[in-house]
Amino acid sequence: MAFIPKPGKPNYTTAKAFRPTSLTSFLLKGLEKLVDRSLRDGPLASLPVHPRQHAYQPGQSTISALHQLVGRIEKALDPQQYALGVCFDIEGTFDNTRYFPNSC
């Protein structure tokens, strides 16, 4: 993995000032397909998946997961109940990552 400085940045002290590049994307895509096939032909073929699991379910996606979440929140808020949701921003993790130019 190499980090290439993005042109036009005023300084290069933050992680966002660099563009990560890797030559492993081709190999990882192939490995991803092998793992996917292994999961679909192995455990997912014989073990049922929980209905709230949206990955590896036909007709399910991130959109259906969000739709289900919003529906549950609306259902709780209708009769004046509480709904608690916890979200976290992992972008801050990358924004605050220190860069060590000589460690690569």
Side-chain angles (χ1 to χ4, degrees):
M1 169 94 51
F3 295 94
I4 299 173
K6 292 180 181 176
K9 294 292 181 177
N11 64 43
Y12 294 96
T13 58
T14 63
K16 280 189 171 181
F18 293 88
R19 180 177 293 117
T21 60
S22 175
L23 299 176
T24 60
S25 62
F26 174 76
L27 293 173
L28 291 177
K29 283 291 182 186
L31 181 61
E32 179 184 1
K33 288 183 182 279
L34 289 172
V35 170
D36 182 63
R37 183 177 299 160
S38 176
L39 284 172
R40 288 182 189 275
D41 294 344
L44 292 175
S46 58
L47 298 172
V49 178
H50 194 277
R52 290 190 189 150
Q53 171 70 33
H54 290 266
Y56 293 104
Q57 293 270 41
Q60 301 281 8
S61 66
T62 54
I63 300 297
S64 62
L66 287 171
H67 179 71
Q68 184 181 38
L69 173 66
V70 169
R72 293 183 76 186
I73 292 171
E74 288 175 343
K75 185 178 177 183
L77 293 177
D78 264 348
Q80 303 294 318
Q81 295 178 347
Y82 293 102
L84 174 66
V86 178
C87 300
F88 59 96
D89 178 15
I90 63 170
E91 183 181 356
T93 303
F94 299 109
D95 290 344
N96 298 308
T97 301
R98 292 177 46 194
Y99 172 70
F100 300 102
N102 296 329
S103 64
C104 296

